[in-house]
């Protein structure tokens, strides 16, 4: 931030107020994103669709989300968080309202795409607020808390949404959900301020400079390491919470809808506990951040291997462990954004975060689609004919994604360390616990 003029204090009450308003929007975004999780079977009946078509709802939503990350990062660096968050709210509200009245498969797809477009604008915008409004030592923990409190939206999209759907019906439930965005939009306009620094300090984007800066962002091995961590750690909890966890627990494991919804809720509370813990650890040991991500992924893969190898339905205690360990992938994936912060100065953080954020959602949409294709091949009769053996085979596609992701993390960890070693003092700073590196993420030690 050398050469910029600071107008407001950072890391204090104003910072927390701005962050809190953005966080409320992110909670709603997660709710909209996951609102099909417990409604999958109802949606299959409402639209008369099979497993692949059901998966298409979420795959398209995430494909739009992932595809917009780089454009959103560019717009974020140009216009700031306030405009992007407000725009995202408008898109999500319109999309959810459309979805509440949709009666055809095509109309429902268009509505979910609009929700995905709005959702894509929120998270990286909020991360930029955290990066600019909080102190270096605060940012890793605040980032983790952001991701974890945001998952309270998934809690609301589990048991409460399931109960509302059965009590009020499809249209009324989703219409009420859509209306929440109107109230938050007022708060965004009134309370969010983009930066504590003068606006002139924000990089002005021209087409040629934009192309060159995006190329530089992508070529940096730290960007690819962050993308690899997000790709590998995030998809399992996302796939489970957004689409296939509920059918797996109900149709595959024989749990009641209430038990399945409760386990989905448990995921959020586990993540709330794990998030700050991982945030504090990575803040103290930045040199080992990608190692921590690999440890999280290894634990998730191990528990899934045990559950899928069981000859029959798993006992409830084992399913609780499965859900709890899988949930840790969410905070584990947040390590990716702290890595991006280490390898890019603030004027490019939006673009770098956008690229990194693509990783987990690309992995998620590919995994969701593959599971749907396998289920359709094994159970062409639709959701009512799913068996545990069908899910055992379908859910095993996750191991292909974990293996590929772990290879990417190991590859780009080595390249990133080589990049750090070329900047004088950067490796020593990294080993000493400094996430912002001289010559890389800042010009000099402040």
């Amino acid at each position: 931030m050398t050469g910029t003029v600071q107008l407001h204090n950072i890391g204090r009450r104003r910072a927390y107020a701005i962050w809190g308003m953005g966080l409320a929007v992110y909670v709603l975004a997660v709710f909209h994103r996951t609102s099909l999780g417990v409604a999958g079977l109802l949606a299959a009946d409402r639209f008369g669709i099979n497993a692949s078509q059901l998966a298409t709802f979420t795959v398209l939503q995430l494909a739009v989300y992932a595809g917009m990350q780089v454009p959103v990062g560019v717009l974020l660096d140009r216009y700031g968080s306030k405009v992007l968050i407000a725009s995202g709210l408008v898109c999500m509200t319109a999309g959810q309202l459309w979805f509440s009245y949709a009666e055809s498969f095509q109309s429902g797809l268009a509505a979910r795409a609009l929700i995905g477009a709005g959702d894509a604008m929120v998270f990286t915008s909020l991360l930029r607020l955290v990066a600019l409004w909080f102190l270096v030592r605060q940012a890793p923990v605040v980032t983790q808390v952001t991701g974890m409190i945001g998952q309270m939206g998934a809690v609301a999209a589990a048991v409460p949404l399931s109960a509302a759907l059965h009590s009020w019906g499809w249209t009324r439930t989703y219409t009420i959900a859509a209306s929440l965005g109107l109230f938050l939009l007022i708060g965004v306009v009134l309370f969010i301020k983009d930066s504590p620094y003068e606006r002139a300090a924000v990089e002005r984007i021209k087409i040629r400079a934009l192309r060159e800066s995006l190329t530089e962002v992508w070529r940096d091995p730290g960007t690819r390491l962050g993308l690899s961590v997000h790709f590998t750690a995030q998809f399992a909890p996302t796939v489970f919470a957004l689409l296939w966890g509920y059918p797996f627990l109900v149709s595959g494991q024989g749990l009641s809808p209430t038990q399945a919804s409760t386990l989905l809720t448990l995921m959020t509370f586990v993540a709330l506990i794990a998030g700050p813990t991982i945030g504090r650890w990575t803040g103290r040991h930045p040199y080992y951040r990608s190692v921590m991500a690999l440890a999280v992924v290894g634990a998730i893969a191990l528990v899934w291997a045990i559950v899928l190898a069981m000859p029959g339905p798993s006992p409830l205690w084992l399913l609780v462990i499965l859900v709890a360990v899988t949930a840790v992938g969410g905070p584990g994936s947040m390590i990716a954004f702290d890595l991006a912060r280490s390898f890019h100065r603030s004027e490019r953080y939006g673009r770098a975060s956008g690229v990194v954020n693509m990783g987990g959602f690309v992995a998620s949409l590919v995994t969701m689609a593959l599971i749907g294709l396998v289920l359709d091949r094994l159970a062409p009769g639709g959701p009512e004919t799913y068996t545990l053996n069908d899910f055992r085979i379908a859910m095993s596609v996750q191991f292909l994604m974990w293996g590929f992701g772990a290879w990417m993390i190991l590859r780009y960890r080595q390249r990133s360390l080589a990049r750090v070693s070329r900047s004088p003092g950067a490796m020593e700073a990294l080993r000493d616990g400094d996430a912002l590196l001289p010559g890389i993420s800042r010009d000099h030690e402040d």
Side-chain angles (χ1 to χ4, degrees):
M1 301 301 290
T2 302
T4 64
V5 177
Q6 184 172 325
L7 303 177
H8 304 285
N9 290 326
I10 61 176
R12 297 186 181 179
R13 285 185 296 178
R14 182 191 293 268
Y16 283 102
I18 292 171
W19 171 66
M21 189 66 247
L23 184 59
V25 178
Y26 180 51
V27 170
L28 183 62
V30 173
F31 172 84
H32 288 322
R33 183 191 307 165
T34 58
S35 60
L36 197 59
V38 297
L41 298 178
L42 290 176
D45 181 64
R46 178 182 177 87
F47 298 108
I49 54 179
N50 59 26
S52 294
Q53 291 173 310
L54 178 60
T56 303
F57 276 127
T58 305
V59 167
L60 176 63
Q61 180 181 331
L62 293 185
V64 172
Y65 182 106
M68 286 190 64
Q69 286 308 299
V70 171
V72 164
V74 171
L75 293 172
L76 180 58
D77 287 334
R78 178 64 178 86
Y79 295 106
S81 297
K82 185 173 185 173
V83 170
L84 269 293
I85 291 175
S87 301
L89 260 178
V90 171
C91 288
M92 289 188 295
T93 299
Q96 195 69 287
L97 184 62
W98 187 356
F99 194 61
S100 69
Y101 288 95
E103 295 184 354
S104 68
F105 176 59
Q106 293 77 11
S107 181
L109 280 178
R112 297 310 293 186
L114 189 56
I115 292 172
D119 186 11
M121 302 179 195
V122 176
F123 184 60
T124 52
S125 300
L126 184 52
L127 286 183
R128 183 176 175 84
L129 290 176
V130 172
L132 292 176
W133 279 97
F134 288 90
L135 300 170
V136 172
R137 66 176 182 272
Q138 294 173 315
V141 174
V142 175
T143 299
Q144 284 288 350
V145 173
T146 297
M148 295 313 102
I149 294 181
Q151 296 310 306
M152 293 305 294
V155 173
V159 177
L161 181 63
S162 179
L165 284 167
H166 286 90
S167 298
W168 298 339
W170 182 280
T171 299
R172 185 180 177 188
T173 297
Y174 281 118
T175 299
I176 292 173
S179 67
L180 297 175
L182 298 177
F183 297 100
L184 290 183
L185 184 60
I186 297 172
V188 169
V189 172
L190 293 178
F191 294 109
I192 287 184
K193 183 175 178 60
D194 286 320
S195 173
Y197 306 96
E198 64 177 355
R199 182 63 184 170
V202 178
E203 184 181 17
R204 300 295 179 177
I205 295 177
K206 297 180 180 179
I207 297 300
R208 182 178 298 176
L210 170 60
R211 184 166 56 246
E212 292 174 354
S213 67
L214 284 174
T215 300
E216 290 176 5
V217 165
W218 174 245
R219 285 179 177 173
D220 195 303
T223 305
R224 300 191 187 192
L225 176 60
L227 183 145
S228 301
V229 167
H230 203 252
F231 178 101
T232 314
Q234 196 217 33
F235 76 83
T238 300
V239 168
F240 198 86
L242 264 63
L243 188 60
W244 292 121
Y246 187 85
F248 171 76
L249 294 172
V250 174
S251 299
Q253 295 291 336
L255 300 187
S256 69
T258 300
Q259 288 175 314
S261 298
T262 301
L263 285 182
L264 291 179
T265 303
L266 174 65
M267 291 184 72
T268 301
F269 289 109
V270 171
L272 283 171
I273 296 171
T277 302
I278 292 177
R280 284 192 295 269
W281 192 92
T282 54
R284 295 187 186 120
H285 308 284
Y287 182 81
Y288 296 102
R289 287 172 294 187
S290 54
V291 175
M292 167 62 83
L294 284 171
V296 169
V297 170
I300 296 172
L302 176 62
V303 178
W304 269 101
I306 294 171
V307 168
L308 296 180
M310 296 285 289
S314 300
L316 183 60
W317 64 264
L318 182 55
L319 294 176
V320 169
I321 293 175
L322 173 72
V323 167
V325 174
T326 300
V328 180
S333 71
M334 299 294 288
I335 295 171
F337 299 102
D338 201 45
L339 287 165
R341 199 165 58 92
S342 293
F343 285 87
H344 296 281
R345 295 184 175 90
S346 62
E347 65 267 19
R348 292 181 180 174
Y349 183 67
R351 275 158 280 178
S353 295
V355 173
V356 167
N357 204 28
M358 289 176 61
F361 291 96
V362 168
S364 297
L365 67 90
V366 170
T367 306
M368 286 178 183
L370 289 175
I371 291 173
L373 289 172
V374 173
L375 285 174
D376 274 345
R377 178 63 63 90
L378 298 174
E384 295 181 356
T385 65
Y386 294 160
T387 67
L388 178 55
N389 283 334
D390 298 333
F391 275 109
R392 184 177 288 116
I393 297 171
M395 301 303 275
S396 293
V397 303
Q398 295 178 106
F399 292 98
L400 298 175
M401 305 298 287
W402 283 319
F404 178 66
W407 172 77
M408 287 198 302
I409 291 175
L410 291 171
R411 180 185 185 190
Y412 289 115
R413 171 177 167 79
Q414 294 301 317
R415 295 189 179 186
S416 298
L417 290 176
R419 160 94 161 87
V420 172
S421 66
R422 291 195 294 269
S423 295
M427 184 65 77
E428 291 77 8
L430 186 64
R431 289 185 180 276
D432 288 342
D434 193 348
L436 293 186
L437 307 177
I440 297 179
S441 49
R442 64 182 176 208
D443 293 321
H444 57 77
E445 297 290 335
D446 294 317

